[in-house]
Amino acid sequence: MVEIKKVGVIGAGQMGSGIAHVCALGGFDVLINDVSMDRVQSGLASINGNMTRQVGSGKISDEVRQAALERIGPAEHLDALGDVDLIIESATENEQIKRKIFSQVCPLLKPEAMLATNTSSISITRLAASTDRPERFIGVHFMNPVPVMELVELVRGIATEDETFEAAKRFVAKLGKTAAVAEDFPAFMVNRILLPMINEAIYTLYEGVGSVEAIDTAMRLGANHPMGPLQLADFIGLDTCLSIMQVLYEGLADSKYRPCPLLVKYVEAGWLGRKAGRGFYDYRGDKPVPTR
């Protein structure tokens, strides 16, 4: 049986750093790689800051934080990941970028190493086919923010072996997360349900049914959602929302998944949400202000 002790995370952004964070707290040694050391260092700083907040809220002790940070290190180049037991790819939601990463890292890994992708929508079977070990490939879709959210979607490709699946389940359990098993269909379960709702909220804005503030207030107070769908879209990233809707629209060939033109326009304008300072809300002032 596969025993995972050392994990390599490719991608040091919000999701990648969050995955490295929970892996280190789960007792795994972790190496983080990205396209530049500046990004890696930024990811490491985010992990330190988020763990410090966990200490402040009493969720972990400072001793646990320090021990976890000692288990995380930078990997400036992919060849530094040669001895890991599991690679978790957490790059941008673009199939070609992900396939390129796997084609580059596979020759550097030991034969028994497992591969996983944190994709939120792309076919696991297709990504696995771009590797030299599709039987040792699986989808592990963490939710954002990773240290807070309890769920991980596990998605098998057509070639994923039982041993890989069982090892992934044990890995997720050791992180203190709950696994939900999804079939390899576009966007899996959570985003298959969530993103069309967000897209419909954008259509509601586009058609003038309600303002940004009215739509978010209606869903917070009328459906008891913790945040409104447009606020949530900004949090996820409008480019990610659009990518997932495009995967659904193209993969399922159903017009109900057509991305709202207003979502497309915002992405074309570079208004990608919180990370860009502006989306359905403008975050550049003291408090967020609706942009429509």
Side-chain angles (χ1 to χ4, degrees):
M1 298 290 284
V2 177
E3 185 176 6
I4 299 169
K5 293 182 178 179
K6 190 170 186 179
V7 179
V9 178
I10 300 177
Q14 187 172 26
M15 291 302 296
S17 62
I19 293 168
H21 176 140
V22 298
C23 286
L25 285 179
F28 298 96
D29 292 326
V30 186
L31 289 173
I32 308 179
N33 170 267
D34 210 314
V35 294
S36 71
M37 280 303 293
D38 284 346
R39 292 194 185 189
V40 172
Q41 293 300 335
S42 177
L44 292 170
S46 294
I47 293 168
N48 186 25
N50 290 333
M51 284 189 183
T52 299
R53 279 189 284 275
Q54 286 182 307
V55 172
S57 63
K59 293 178 180 176
I60 61 173
S61 67
D62 195 54
E63 291 74 19
V64 168
R65 179 188 70 85
Q66 291 181 35
L69 290 175
E70 288 175 3
R71 286 192 283 270
I72 306 175
E76 185 171 0
H77 305 292
L78 288 176
D79 55 13
L81 304 175
D83 66 339
V84 303
D85 305 303
L86 170 67
I87 288 285
I88 303 177
E89 170 275 316
S90 187
T92 187
E93 193 68 357
N94 179 294
E95 183 168 346
Q96 295 310 311
I97 290 174
K98 292 178 184 293
R99 290 169 70 95
K100 182 178 179 182
I101 287 170
F102 287 121
S103 68
Q104 290 174 333
V105 76
C106 279
L108 307 173
L109 302 176
K110 56 189 180 183
E112 64 271 24
M114 284 174 49
L115 296 170
T117 176
N118 184 53
T119 180
S120 54
S121 61
I122 299 167
S123 167
I124 303 304
T125 297
R126 281 204 312 272
L127 289 176
S130 69
T131 76
D132 60 359
R133 60 195 80 194
E135 71 285 352
R136 305 183 74 78
F137 192 101
I138 194 164
V140 284
H141 178 213
F142 290 83
M143 305 294 124
N144 187 25
V146 180
V148 175
M149 302 296 280
E150 296 181 13
L151 183 73
V152 176
E153 283 184 314
L154 283 182
V155 191
R156 299 177 70 156
I158 194 170
T160 305
E161 290 183 343
D162 289 344
E163 183 181 354
T164 302
F165 178 59
E166 294 300 326
K169 285 200 297 185
R170 293 195 303 273
F171 172 69
V172 169
K174 194 169 180 182
L175 298 181
K177 305 293 187 185
T178 298
V181 180
E183 293 297 321
D184 189 15
F185 283 90
F188 318 130
M189 292 185 298
V190 172
N191 284 331
R192 171 77 177 265
I193 298 166
L194 178 64
L195 264 296
M197 183 201 75
I198 290 174
N199 195 52
E200 192 63 28
I202 300 170
Y203 266 114
T204 304
L205 176 66
Y206 178 60
E207 294 168 3
V209 179
S211 66
V212 168
E213 201 164 26
I215 292 166
D216 277 353
T217 299
M219 293 306 291
R220 281 199 311 271
L221 303 184
N224 204 28
H225 290 189
M227 66 173 69
L230 302 177
Q231 181 188 6
L232 179 57
D234 276 357
F235 181 75
I236 294 169
L238 302 192
D239 52 341
T240 301
C241 292
L242 178 58
S243 293
I244 295 170
M245 289 308 302
Q246 287 170 332
V247 167
L248 281 167
Y249 186 46
E250 294 165 8
L252 298 173
D254 191 325
S255 61
K256 72 180 181 180
Y257 298 115
R258 183 172 71 96
C260 179
L262 184 60
L263 174 59
V264 176
K265 183 179 289 187
Y266 271 53
V267 172
E268 289 176 344
W271 293 19
L272 306 181
R274 292 181 64 93
K275 62 186 176 184
R278 188 159 50 177
F280 292 109
Y281 292 85
D282 190 327
Y283 299 92
R284 296 172 298 174
D286 294 334
K287 63 178 183 178
V289 178
T291 53
R292 291 178 73 93

